[in-house]
Amino acid sequence: MNTFSLYGVILYVIILFLLSAFCIKKVLNSYEEYSHCGRSLSISFIIFTYLATWIGGGTIVGLVGKTYGGGAGQYWIIAISFVMQLFYAFIFLPRIRVLRQSSIAGFLAMRYPDYGQIIRLPITIGILIRNVTMTGMQFGALGYMITYIFGINSNLSVLLIFLIITTYTVLSGLWGVVVTDIFQGILQTAGIILLVILTIKLSGGINQIYQFYESTNNEYFLNILNFQKSTTDLIKYILAFGIFFFMSDQTDWERIYSSKTNKTAFWGFLIPLIVTLILLILPSYLGVFQRAFSLGQTESQFIIYKFVFENIDIKMGIFVLIGLIAAIMSSADSFMLTSGIIFSNDIIKRFINQNASDKELIFWTRAFILLTGAMGFAFAINISDIIYIWLTGIGMASIIVVPAYLLAWFSKIANSIGCICGMGIGIIYCILITIGMITANVDQILIGMLINLIVTMIISFFTSRPLQNTIYETYYWSSKFENIHIIKDSY
């Protein structure tokens, strides 16, 4: 099957490059087109690019591994983030459209503009940590696959992935990402559905799967509501990791900004969000069903690949394989592109060359796409637990950015110097996590955010108050937001 698999993967990669090349002319000389599609994305583009980004291969492979070892209730490790984004959609998204901001850094610079908007620097660091770990998560998932299929050294596998994804992402920017996401989104959705159906069939049916768990006294594996955590632990988990999605990812801010209309921005976010929550049930139960099929005798990180290449028809196997690769690539390209846009827009344009031309900004965006991919490569070859990478990236970004974000909406006291100092402490705390002096667990993430918040408020309280006009730039109950209607197109 390896030869056929290789041909299938090569054909898939060629199609990606052709789709990306189709968009090159559109983005060649326009930074607005390269980074935000000229703010003209229709709802079909928006829906597919969200689905392709949110349901990544790292998510699928990582979640299958978790549910294989701990039951369907592990669904909530990932799903909580999307539940929190439902609140984000109703509470913040319409206001973000009013502000016309494409980045979290731009939003916070409105509220904390002092010292030349230097607050963009720590925000950029926090968001990049999230993006790099997400990229590493995807690289790691695909690395497992290539290593298992072709017997290639895992580090070499990740390097090949890095080269392919960065190349087609660099070529045509956000247009290339959203166009390829339509193709990849269809493939990944069909692939995961087919994989679940085949697993049930080859396991002897649902009744046979249930009998397996009944015979081993592990019926709780089948209960998606069994998170295996106490109420206190669940609340801690939501506060430590779920609260990040009150702010949402930078990729989401860019798509909200790039949407053609307000209705497109709102419904284009909400519809795929609900679909994602439903589709994530599939990999959750896939891990459970795979445990029944293999009798729990296969390593969790290889469970999907072993099943595909040893137990199903070659044609179906190749289709499923390409669907998994599509899921991985469609997430990685979005986070790499976002990192490039953050660097060019919030660092180069603000602090290095305010008069940078479109060609210069495109150059710097591409350069940092490559750098993000390289850092993701480093993460992927040094950390084997995919979900751990995901949680660590969220946790560290939350420590640095979330307190200032929430205070920008809801506080009249927080000021620039307070938030800069709080973020600085947060960055130091994350460095201690990185070098192993602090463990990246739920309690330590909460402590880090709390320290950031306390430092911010103490310094803000004992220094000058922000100007009222500055406060009301982003204050949640500002008069500028009074006439917002979620699906109204005139605000």
Side-chain angles (χ1 to χ4, degrees):
M1 186 173 180
N2 286 4
T3 302
F4 288 102
S5 301
L6 181 61
Y7 291 152
V9 171
I10 290 173
L11 176 61
Y12 162 75
V13 171
I14 289 172
I15 292 172
L16 283 186
F17 276 98
L18 289 174
L19 289 171
S20 183
F22 180 76
C23 303
I24 289 176
K25 186 176 180 180
K26 183 186 287 285
V27 305
L28 197 59
N29 297 307
S30 172
Y31 179 70
E32 184 72 3
E33 291 287 347
Y34 185 88
S35 61
H36 299 114
C37 297
R39 299 197 70 191
S40 62
L41 287 181
S42 64
I43 194 164
S44 58
F45 278 118
I46 288 291
I47 287 174
F48 274 102
T49 192
Y50 275 130
L51 285 173
T53 300
W54 288 339
I55 307 178
T59 301
I60 293 170
V61 174
L63 189 54
V64 168
K66 285 293 183 183
T67 57
Y68 179 85
Q74 300 299 303
Y75 163 84
W76 297 102
I77 292 177
I78 304 294
I80 282 174
S81 64
F82 294 104
V83 172
M84 297 300 286
Q85 282 184 293
L86 287 172
F87 293 99
Y88 167 84
F90 288 96
I91 296 172
F92 297 118
L93 193 156
R95 285 168 165 76
I96 290 169
R97 282 288 291 186
V98 170
L99 296 175
R100 298 179 182 275
Q101 288 296 324
S102 63
S103 71
I104 298 168
F107 164 71
L108 291 181
M110 292 179 69
R111 178 61 175 79
Y112 312 113
D114 302 313
Y115 313 106
Q117 297 188 1
I118 200 171
I119 199 165
R120 289 178 183 267
L121 294 176
I123 296 165
T124 298
I125 291 171
I127 300 303
L128 287 178
I129 289 172
R130 160 66 172 164
N131 289 353
V132 167
T133 52
M134 277 297 294
T135 303
M137 177 186 181
Q138 307 307 322
F139 285 0
L142 196 45
Y144 285 149
M145 181 185 296
I146 293 177
T147 297
Y148 185 85
I149 298 169
F150 302 112
I152 300 174
N153 175 272
S154 60
N155 292 351
L156 179 59
S157 299
V158 177
L159 178 61
L160 291 172
I161 295 155
F162 157 66
L163 292 173
I164 292 170
I165 299 176
T166 52
T167 301
Y168 84 77
T169 304
V170 159
L171 283 174
S172 50
L174 187 57
W175 272 117
V177 168
V178 297
V179 169
T180 55
D181 277 352
I182 292 178
F183 171 60
Q184 296 187 114
I186 294 170
L187 286 178
Q188 72 183 44
T189 303
I192 192 67
I193 292 172
L194 179 59
L195 191 53
V196 171
I197 292 171
L198 291 172
T199 302
I200 294 172
K201 180 180 178 180
L202 295 179
S203 297
I206 293 294
N207 290 336
Q208 191 67 32
I209 292 171
Y210 179 79
Q211 287 175 16
F212 166 79
Y213 283 106
E214 188 177 42
S215 67
T216 57
N217 295 317
N218 287 322
E219 293 98 326
Y220 71 90
F221 267 65
L222 299 167
N223 185 0
I224 200 169
L225 298 178
N226 188 350
F227 188 53
Q228 300 178 44
K229 298 286 185 182
S230 67
T231 302
T232 301
D233 287 338
L234 180 59
I235 292 172
K236 284 183 180 180
Y237 183 86
I238 292 172
L239 291 175
F241 302 111
I243 200 170
F244 173 85
F245 294 94
F246 251 22
M247 179 175 69
S248 205
D249 271 312
Q250 177 62 32
T251 55
D252 301 333
W253 281 66
E254 288 173 5
R255 284 157 174 76
I256 290 167
Y257 178 79
S258 301
S259 297
K260 192 172 185 178
T261 67
N262 298 318
K263 289 181 180 179
T264 298
F266 180 77
W267 292 110
F269 185 87
L270 190 63
I271 291 170
L273 190 61
I274 294 170
V275 172
T276 297
L277 281 167
I278 295 170
L279 288 179
L280 282 175
I281 295 173
L282 296 178
S284 298
Y285 275 102
L286 179 58
V288 174
F289 297 160
Q290 284 287 336
R291 187 178 185 86
F293 176 80
S294 68
L295 304 179
Q297 296 176 359
T298 303
E299 291 182 67
S300 60
Q301 69 265 38
F302 294 123
I303 187 66
I304 293 179
Y305 315 136
K306 182 177 176 64
F307 177 79
V308 170
F309 286 92
E310 295 183 9
N311 297 284
I312 64 178
D313 177 76
I314 185 171
K315 294 179 182 178
M316 288 187 178
I318 292 172
F319 182 80
V320 171
L321 166 67
I322 293 174
L324 290 171
I325 293 175
I328 292 166
M329 289 194 174
S330 61
S331 283
D333 58 15
S334 292
F335 285 97
M336 290 165 61
L337 176 65
T338 291
S339 299
I341 293 172
I342 291 172
F343 186 76
S344 61
N345 192 53
D346 291 307
I347 303 299
I348 298 296
K349 192 173 182 179
R350 301 293 171 177
F351 300 110
I352 298 177
N353 184 5
Q354 295 184 2
N355 297 315
S357 67
D358 280 13
K359 286 188 176 181
E360 287 178 273
L361 292 173
I362 291 172
F363 167 80
W364 286 112
T365 301
R366 287 171 167 164
F368 213 75
I369 288 171
L370 292 171
L371 182 57
T372 302
M375 291 188 288
F377 168 76
F379 266 92
I381 64 175
N382 286 291
I383 301 177
S384 58
D385 189 330
I386 293 173
I387 295 297
Y388 177 80
I389 297 177
W390 185 76
L391 292 174
T392 300
I394 293 172
M396 293 173 73
S398 296
I399 289 170
I400 297 170
V401 182
V402 166
Y405 172 81
L406 293 176
L407 291 170
W409 286 113
F410 301 114
S411 172
K412 293 183 177 181
I413 297 175
N415 62 16
S416 299
I417 186 63
C419 285
I420 291 168
C421 291
M423 286 183 167
I425 294 295
I427 291 172
I428 294 171
Y429 195 89
C430 289
I431 291 173
L432 296 177
I433 291 176
T434 302
I435 63 178
M437 293 184 67
I438 297 175
T439 304
N441 58 33
V442 171
D443 291 333
Q444 296 301 329
I445 298 298
L446 287 173
I447 290 171
M449 282 195 286
L450 184 60
I451 292 172
N452 180 339
L453 179 62
I454 291 171
V455 169
T456 298
M457 294 309 295
I458 288 175
I459 293 177
S460 295
F461 185 80
F462 286 104
T463 53
S464 59
R465 295 288 186 273
L467 297 174
Q468 186 168 345
N469 288 344
T470 301
I471 293 171
Y472 281 93
E473 282 290 324
T474 62
Y475 189 59
Y476 192 82
W477 292 281
S478 171
S479 59
K480 72 193 317 181
F481 302 128
E482 284 181 356
N483 296 318
I484 283 181
H485 299 288
I486 287 174
I487 59 172
K488 186 178 178 181
D489 275 329
S490 60
Y491 59 76

